[in-house]
Amino acid sequence: MNAWEQSPVGAAVGRFERARFLPWATPLEHQPRLSQTLGIDLRVKRDDLTGLAFGGNKVRKLEFYFGKALAAGADTVLITGAVQSNYTRVVAACAARLGMDCHIQLEERVPDVDDVYRTSGNVLLDELLGATLHAYPVGEDEEGADQRLREIAAGLSARGRRPYVIPLGAGNPPLGALGYVRCAAELLEQAGAMDHVVLASGSGQTHAGLLFGLRALGWSGEVIGICVRRAASLQKPRVEGHCGRIAELLGIVNPVRSQDVVLYDDVLAPGYGVMNDAVASAIRDCAHRDGLLVEPVYTGRAMAGLFARVREGRLPPGARVVFIHTGGLPALFGYATDLRRTVVRREITAP
Ligand SMILES: Cc1ncc(COP(=O)(O)O)c(C=O)c1O
């Protein structure tokens, strides 16, 4: 047994069923030119390289949901998300890998989108991966979206299928967060000295899981969550709630204190999935300075939040910072129109 498996948190996580999708430990990569520009020591945990169908943070989370679905004898999985959801795309890929059917409900979370947003990027991949798509007309109704999924599942059961619903609502056991509790051990083994970790905080499961794992393993540095979905005043209780529920799931004491949950929402406006100048310039700087791709919804916004913390001195010169690259790169294609307008600044012209 290795040190992780021997630790109380590792032993507790090890008792959960887990489907194996992650083929390797993702690299931790130094960013030389961004580090120089920002005056910090910036490394990126490349969880965009988690392997399955363009990867991203969902692969680690889904090892646990699919572990549970398989143990329950499910033959079909259901998931809800934004039209350009990365989650739904990876669920479709995991289901295909396991020979299961996949139903995806796409919510209207982003206003004023164009046809490219509706048909390219993750939507195209959802369809390519063989999922059945359903539309849900609202974007800020977690309970309603979950309820509709359960109704679709009931219809499938009536036709003899064995459905498993991956729920969205914050009150559900945050099984997916266990993937990031595990990731904490992987990161600590790779990183050596690090002062700060920065990541996107959306549903909050990645944030809560990583923070929980890092604290449980004794790391006392700072985890900075950048809000990509809702204001910090709403996100903080959500992440704290997840930490409490992770402790319950694992049957261990919650090592996360309220002051450990650090969140910034200054780059969130005008809202989820809508670009702003800070996000556009973060996407451009990462691409131009280090060949690092980040996207408009999660990683570009989180990187904009990191840049803002450097500007205000919150991440001081020389700080050893790890940015968690949670993936989402297919969304670059769904946002092609916006990116041309704001980052590339080139209109498509007739030949
Ligand atoms: C690329 C990407 N990064 C970050 C997140 C946020 O992760 P979480 O929902 O666990 O907070 C998501 C969630 O959809 C995502 O797709």
Side-chain angles (χ1 to χ4, degrees):
M1 279 211 293
N2 63 27
W4 159 251
E5 288 162 346
Q6 278 172 9
S7 69
V9 62
V13 172
R15 286 194 279 275
F16 282 75
E17 287 109 355
R18 183 158 71 90
R20 307 294 163 117
F21 298 129
L22 192 77
W24 45 56
T26 59
L28 182 68
E29 197 178 34
H30 184 242
Q31 303 299 143
R33 295 190 67 230
L34 278 170
S35 292
Q36 195 181 32
T37 309
L38 296 168
I40 60 172
D41 173 14
L42 179 64
R43 286 175 294 169
V44 174
K45 175 74 171 152
R46 296 293 306 272
D47 266 19
D48 53 322
L49 303 178
T50 46
L52 196 61
F54 293 107
N57 60 336
K58 306 309 180 188
V59 176
R60 291 187 194 269
K61 295 167 79 166
L62 288 170
E63 290 199 325
F64 287 89
Y65 285 114
F66 273 88
K68 182 124 193 244
L70 286 175
D75 59 12
T76 307
V77 284
L78 295 92
I79 176 91
T80 187
V83 172
Q84 279 297 333
S85 166
N86 302 296
Y87 208 179
T88 61
R89 178 241 315 158
V90 184
V91 169
C94 294
R97 168 80 48 100
L98 296 175
M100 298 164 95
D101 285 346
C102 176
H103 286 253
I104 292 175
Q105 175 173 267
L106 297 179
E107 305 164 26
E108 292 296 329
R109 283 194 201 165
V110 181
D112 303 326
V113 293
D114 64 3
D115 270 1
V116 178
Y117 178 90
R118 290 194 180 284
T119 55
S120 183
N122 283 307
V123 190
L124 176 65
L125 297 176
D126 289 345
E127 293 182 293
L128 195 63
L129 290 160
T132 304
L133 304 189
H134 305 258
Y136 191 71
V138 230
E140 290 304 329
D141 176 19
E142 290 189 337
E143 297 311 318
D146 276 346
Q147 177 55 28
R148 180 76 191 109
L149 268 196
R150 284 192 292 269
E151 286 163 15
I152 298 169
L156 290 166
S157 297
R159 297 206 298 278
R161 307 297 298 178
R162 292 186 304 279
Y164 177 82
V165 172
I166 300 173
L168 174 67
N172 294 291
L175 256 191
L178 302 186
Y180 274 87
V181 178
R182 287 189 87 240
C183 179
E186 183 179 308
L187 177 59
L188 286 175
E189 199 173 312
Q190 293 171 316
M194 67 178 170
D195 310 313
H196 309 267
V197 171
V198 180
L199 83 172
S201 195
S203 76
Q205 286 207 27
T206 304
H207 184 175
L210 192 63
L211 175 60
F212 190 105
L214 289 169
R215 285 290 182 271
L217 294 169
W219 184 75
S220 58
E222 183 182 49
V223 175
I224 299 179
I226 305 298
C227 296
V228 297
R229 181 83 200 275
R230 56 187 74 72
S233 57
L234 298 173
Q235 189 69 359
K236 187 168 161 70
R238 188 180 177 108
V239 174
E240 285 183 44
H242 284 329
C243 291
R245 279 185 287 273
I246 295 170
E248 276 168 33
L249 267 180
L250 296 180
I252 62 175
V253 174
N254 182 0
V256 177
R257 299 156 308 163
S258 180
Q259 64 265 34
D260 294 330
V261 180
V262 176
L263 284 154
Y264 288 86
D265 59 11
D266 54 328
V267 293
L268 178 59
Y272 173 81
V274 185
M275 289 188 62
N276 60 33
D277 289 348
V279 174
S281 67
I283 293 174
R284 188 184 311 112
D285 284 349
C286 288
H288 289 199
R289 289 186 201 279
D290 255 331
L292 180 70
L293 293 174
V294 291
E295 46 66 52
V297 187
Y298 298 99
T299 48
R301 203 169 289 266
M303 198 53 106
L306 184 155
F307 287 9
R309 309 290 72 80
V310 171
R311 270 197 303 278
E312 71 193 9
R314 185 75 183 61
L315 292 173
R320 293 165 299 190
V321 180
V322 169
F323 177 80
I324 310 293
H325 194 317
T326 45
L329 295 179
L332 282 173
F333 302 100
Y335 279 82
T337 315
D338 271 357
L339 289 166
R340 287 200 179 282
R341 193 169 39 78
T342 58
V343 180
V344 184
R345 295 195 197 288
R346 185 173 68 79
E347 300 299 329
I348 301 177
T349 48

